[in-house]
Amino acid sequence: MKKILFYLLALGCPVGAMAQSDVNTATLVSGSQVSVFSGADALVQAHAAANEGDVITLSSGSFTSPTITKSVAIYGAGFEKDAATGTDVTQLRSDLNIGVADATISNVHVEGLYINGGVVLSKSNSRVEGLLIAKCFLLNGMTFSNAATAKNMQVQNCILKKGITAANNTPVESASFVNCYVGGDLDDFPSGSSVLIDHCIVTGYAGAYTWKNSILTYWDNGYYSRGAFETTTGANVSNCVIRAVYNSWTESNNSFSNCYYTFRSINNNIFSDITGTDFSYSPTRTFELTNAEWVGDDGTEAGIRGGDGWSKAPGIPVVKSLSLGVEGNSLKVTYEAEVR
């Protein structure tokens, strides 16, 4: 718990809007200036008013999605309502597009959102560097097209319901997926892409990337011995739980070390919270493993519960107490906040 003082230099700033739980608000912090926008288009308006490096914090509620063309950080209240973690739901109504045609933007941070669509990089020849997506729910996963690409992209503690679509020939430079659930294929990045998957659950096909400490549940009854790597050549796989049988085909086309293969006799029981082949995500699932010996190279369990752990709560402070006062021409706000 820590106490923070800050000043709203414009006394006329609509502080009341921040306190109304029934009104969507976007609070823009730009240097020492704080501006509050309200309504469904609040995020669009806040982004339009933002400068490079600014921070936008959203209340719970449903917002119109902007196209992100600036280096901003956007924090929502969460993607699931959960009293235990103090999260609520901040929803974007459609795809979140990021990028500027024929230009580079850097250090976009998106956290704590339910995106009723996906994260889309589709501006012609755009380049997005240092993109961080954390603790978000992407209904349609991620899409890359029109020669848009990313460098040093990180996706952490996210749900990607439909995997990745990369309809382009431009490789992604240094992308990582950490402690994520991917409900589809993660194999579509162009040849030459540098991709790391660490402590994830992936239910579809697996691409020619570096895979560590993850769980791959795909199983094709026609090619049961191949599983997620059925059509893959060039993957580097270690300490993963794979719903398949290790064989000469996979060995000759990919590199495997210290992996755990769930043969038919136990392939229906990877997770202890549900018996059978239901590997879908739900808010109540724990994804706890049936076998405590399935561990990663860091000594923690394989899958999203290992590594740095699984958390849905965005990294914004929870306000515990708030008081207002006037000093000269400034409004003094004192509050105690606990960082989650």
Side-chain angles (χ1 to χ4, degrees):
M1 186 92 67
K2 64 179 180 179
K3 184 174 288 186
I4 305 169
L5 299 180
F6 76 95
Y7 294 87
L8 303 183
L9 299 183
L11 187 57
C13 181
V15 177
M18 290 187 286
Q20 298 178 28
S21 60
D22 58 341
V23 176
N24 294 356
T25 59
T27 303
L28 170 64
V29 178
S30 183
S32 59
Q33 301 292 321
V34 179
S35 303
V36 180
F37 304 86
S38 61
D41 292 332
L43 175 55
V44 174
Q45 295 167 357
H47 176 268
N51 296 309
E52 300 291 322
D54 286 355
V55 177
I56 301 171
T57 304
L58 303 176
S59 68
S60 59
S62 179
F63 294 84
T64 304
S65 301
T67 295
I68 304 301
T69 60
K70 303 173 183 178
S71 300
V72 295
I74 301 172
Y75 293 87
F79 66 81
E80 287 176 356
K81 192 174 183 65
D82 189 333
T85 58
T87 57
D88 210 323
V89 179
T90 299
Q91 182 182 105
L92 300 190
R93 295 178 176 178
S94 59
D95 291 339
L96 181 65
N97 286 271
I98 302 174
V100 178
D102 302 309
T104 298
I105 64 171
S106 303
N107 303 321
V108 174
H109 183 128
V110 179
E111 184 166 343
L113 303 176
Y114 182 102
I115 301 175
N116 193 24
V119 170
V120 178
L121 278 66
S122 63
K123 301 301 179 182
S124 179
N125 297 305
S126 65
R127 183 178 176 90
V128 180
E129 297 187 353
L131 171 63
L132 173 61
I133 305 171
K135 300 171 184 179
C136 289
F137 188 107
L138 283 61
L139 187 63
N140 291 333
M142 298 187 70
T143 300
F144 294 75
S145 61
N146 296 324
T149 191
K151 180 180 180 180
N152 297 330
M153 179 182 76
Q154 300 179 62
V155 183
Q156 302 173 352
N157 288 99
C158 288
I159 307 296
L160 290 80
K161 283 285 285 185
K162 295 184 180 179
I164 304 293
T165 300
N168 97 61
N169 296 317
T170 307
V172 171
E173 301 177 53
S174 187
S176 64
F177 295 82
V178 181
N179 291 96
C180 290
Y181 173 94
V182 181
D185 300 336
L186 212 172
D187 70 336
D188 207 21
F189 287 113
S191 177
S193 296
S194 174
V195 182
L196 167 67
I197 298 91
D198 189 7
H199 281 292
C200 292
I201 297 171
V202 177
T203 67
Y205 282 119
Y209 317 130
T210 298
W211 296 80
K212 296 173 55 179
N213 315 319
S214 295
I215 300 170
L216 298 111
T217 65
Y218 179 78
W219 184 287
D220 186 329
N221 286 329
Y223 298 95
Y224 65 86
S225 63
R226 301 178 185 178
F229 296 96
E230 175 180 319
T231 60
T232 304
T233 298
N236 188 352
V237 190
S238 64
N239 296 86
C240 288
V241 178
I242 304 173
R243 191 170 170 242
V245 178
Y246 183 74
N247 68 3
S248 59
W249 189 94
T250 56
E251 181 181 16
S252 62
N253 286 277
N254 304 282
S255 173
F256 296 87
S257 63
N258 302 317
C259 289
Y260 312 95
Y261 300 92
T262 62
F263 295 85
R264 281 187 166 182
S265 60
I266 61 170
N267 76 73
N268 291 344
N269 298 296
I270 293 177
F271 301 110
S272 61
D273 56 354
I274 290 183
T275 299
T277 58
D278 180 6
F279 302 118
S280 61
Y281 172 81
S282 73
T284 58
R285 292 210 62 172
T286 64
F287 290 111
E288 183 176 1
L289 297 177
T290 58
N291 191 336
E293 296 181 359
W294 292 340
V295 297
D297 60 3
D298 57 1
T300 68
E301 66 181 279
I304 61 175
R305 291 161 48 91
D308 291 334
W310 170 247
S311 172
K312 304 174 186 179
I316 57 175
V318 178
V319 177
K320 299 296 185 180
S321 64
L322 175 70
S323 63
L324 306 177
V326 176
E327 289 186 359
N329 292 325
S330 296
L331 176 64
K332 179 182 179 183
V333 181
T334 305
Y335 66 90
E336 289 185 286
E338 183 177 52
V339 178
R340 290 186 290 203

